Amino acid sequence: MSALRARSKLFSLQSAKFSTVSDQQKAEVLKSNPEKKEFQAETRMLLDIVARSLYSDKEVFIRELISNASDALEKFRYLSVSGAEGTSQLDNIDRALEIKLITDKQNRTITFQDNGIGMTKDELIQNLGTIARSGSKSFIEEIKKQGAEQANTIIGQFGVGFYSAFMVADKIEVYTRSSKSGSTGLKWNSDGSGTYEIQEVDDVPIGTKITVYLKTDCREFADDERVKDIIKKYSNFIGSPILLNNEQVNSIKPVWLMEPKEVTHEQHVEFYRFISNSYDKPRFTLHYKTDAPISIRSILYVPEGKPGLFEMSRDSDVGVSLYSRKILIKSKADNILPKWLRFVKGVVDSEDIPLNLSRELLQNSALIVKLRTVLTNRFIKFMCEMAQKDPVGFDAFYKDYSLFLKEGIVTSQSPLEKEEIAKMLRFESSKLEAGVKTSLADYCARQKDDQKSIYYLAAPSRQLAETSPYYESLKKRDLEVLFCYEMYDELVLLELKEFGRRSLISVENDMQKESTDKSETVIGSDDLQQNEVNDLISFLKTNLNGKVFEVRTTQKLDTHPCVIVIPEMAAARHFIRTQAQNLSEENRFALLRPQLEINAKHPIIKKLHKLVSSDKELANMVSQQLFSNAMVTAGLVMDPRNLVNHINDLLVKALEKH
C-alpha cells in the first residue's frame, strides 16, 4: 500500500488555503496533449483485485492516501534538513508542511493534497503505473546505505496503497510537481480500466493533489463528518497537521513516541480516555520503549474500573491498537497481546512492522510472535514491580482482575510464561493472619531448607480450610499451607505444576501419597485392636459397596473420624460441578472411585464398631452418614440438601430409646 505510498507521494499545495475543488482546478492550465499509457500487467491485475476484495473496509482508502501524503512530507522534511546531495536544488524548503482534505458533496469528490516532495514524470510513471517497485522503499534503501536514522520515518514500503482508492472511485486525477527546481507540473488520470494518461500542466503547486471522483454508492466519503471520523480512527497521530476543509482534525499528540518523563499524568488520562472511549482513569500506566530485540514504542494502561461482563468473555476484543510509524494497522490487534490480557488498553507502535497487506489480516508471523512475547513479559514484570511499589493498589487490581491472570496460566502453552504470570498470584496462608495475602515467591522465602514443595488447600473459606481433615497432618508437621477460596484456584495451581523449582501439591494429594503407610496396631484399654479394625473395615466395605472402592485406616487424622481420598481431587471437583449432573449416582461413584480412610482412634469410629454387633441398622445408617459427611467435606457433593432426609432418619433412629 505504499509503493504508492511513496509512489504517489501524494499531493500538495504548498501554501495558502483553498476553498473548493473547482477553484483549485481553475488554476491548473493544461499545456500539452495527454500521453496515453497502459498499466503494467501486474498493476492491471492488482486493480481488479483491489476493486473486489483487497480491503475489508472501503474507508481505508482515506488512510492509505493520507499515509502516502505523510510519506511525501517526511521525505521532503528529511531532504531539506539532511544536507544530502541535491538538497540545494529544492525549492521553497522553509514551507510549513501539512496535509489538506477537501470534500465536495455536491460534485461527489474528495481531494487529498500535500506540499511534500512531489513527483517528476519518471517518478509518476514508476509510482502510479508500476506495481513492481516502490519509490519509498527505494528511498529508504538509499538512505540506509548512508547510515541515516531518518530512513525509518518513511512509512511506505510497498506498492498498493494508492490503488485502494479505485474501490470507491469512478475516476482519479493526480496533479503533482516535484520539489526539485525547474520541475514541470503534471496531471495523471485514470478510471482504473487498464490505461492512464499523463500531460504537462501549468500553475501546479509543489507537492501532490489527488481528486477522487466517487462512485454513486460511495458518496458517504464526501461527507465531512464521515471523513473526520475516519481520520480520527486511522490517522489521528500523523506527525503533520491534517486539515479537513481548513479545520485541523488530528489534534491529539502521539504520546507514545514522547519520552516517558515528558508525558504528564493529565496527558495520560486524556490519551487513555481517547483510545478506550471511557471516562475513568488508568489504574497503572506502562510507557515502554525499546529497540532490541524489536523496535517498540508503546503505552499500556490498566483500567481503573472493574471489568464488565463483556470483557470477562473470551469473545471480547483485546484493547490494544497496533501502529507502525504513527499509522494505524489494526485498532484491536488481538494477537499483539495474549487473550488473557484483553483488559489492557493502549497503543503499540513498531517500525519493524511493515505496512503491507497483512495490516488487513495480521498473521501470527515470527515478527508478531516476537512482539507479543516482549510486550507480555514486560507487562508482567511491570505489574510485579507495581506489587512492590504500590501493594495497596496492586491488591485492589488483583481483586478485580485476578481471574484474567488465572486464565493466562491455564491457557498459556509456555511453562516459563505460566511461572511469570504466577508471580502475580496471591493467596491467604496458614502462617499469616486472616485477610493477609502472600505471593508464591514470599511463601518460598519462608520455607525451611529441606522443604521441596508448595502446599495448598482449596476451601470456600478460611474457617473451613483450618478445620479441614486434609489440613490436620500438615498442621502437625508445622508446614505452611496456602488457602485457595476461589472456585478455580486449584485448577490453576494444578495447571501451573511448579514454581521456583518446587512442586505445587494439594494437601489432599499429599494425604493420598502417605496413605500407603502400613497402619500401626492401636494399643490402649479403650482403643480398637487391630483385629477389631479389620472387622470394621470389612463391614464398611460391604455396607458402602458401590460407593467406596477401598477402606483403610490412616494415622493422619486427629479430630475427624474419616476422610475421602481421590486421585486428582481438583479435577474430580471440577467434574462434579460441570458434568456429573448428567450421570446417575452409580456412574458418578464408578468414575470417581472414592477411597475412605478412617481414624481408628476417633470416638465415633470406636462406637460404630460396637454398633455393628449391637444395632446393625443404626450401624448401617451411621456408616452411610459418615461417608456422606466425608464427601461433603471433600467438595464432591453437588447439592448437600439431599442429605437432610438421611440426617433426619438417623436422628429418629438414634432417639428411639429416649
Side-chain angles (χ1 to χ4, degrees), residues 340 397-398 401-409 421 424-425:
W340 65 271
F397 157 77
Y398 188 81
Y401 289 92
S402 62
L403 188 61
F404 293 92
L405 310 181
K406 295 167 187 177
E407 178 189 316
I409 293 175
I421 301 171
M424 294 186 280
L425 295 180

Side-chain angles (χ1 to χ4, degrees), residues 66-67 69-70 73-74 77 97-101 227-256 270-271 274 323 325-327:
I66 290 176
S67 296
S70 177
L73 298 179
E74 292 296 336
R77 183 178 285 118
L97 301 179
E98 58 188 10
I99 300 168
K100 298 180 180 180
L101 279 72
V227 174
K228 183 183 294 186
D229 289 342
I230 295 170
I231 294 172
K232 288 186 175 181
K233 178 179 179 181
Y234 290 112
S235 306
N236 202 54
F237 305 108
I238 290 288
S240 301
I242 302 175
L243 282 69
L244 175 61
N245 298 328
N246 293 329
E247 177 187 350
Q248 184 167 342
V249 179
N250 60 331
S251 58
I252 304 296
K253 293 182 179 180
V255 293
W256 67 87
E270 179 185 3
F271 183 60
F274 176 81
Y323 285 75
R325 302 173 185 87
K326 298 178 286 188
I327 300 301

Side-chain angles (χ1 to χ4, degrees), residues 30 32-35 185-189 197-201:
L30 302 178
S32 68
N33 294 325
E35 181 181 347
L186 299 165
K187 177 185 178 183
W188 179 102
N189 72 89
E197 294 180 343
I198 294 179
Q199 60 191 126
E200 292 186 4
V201 183

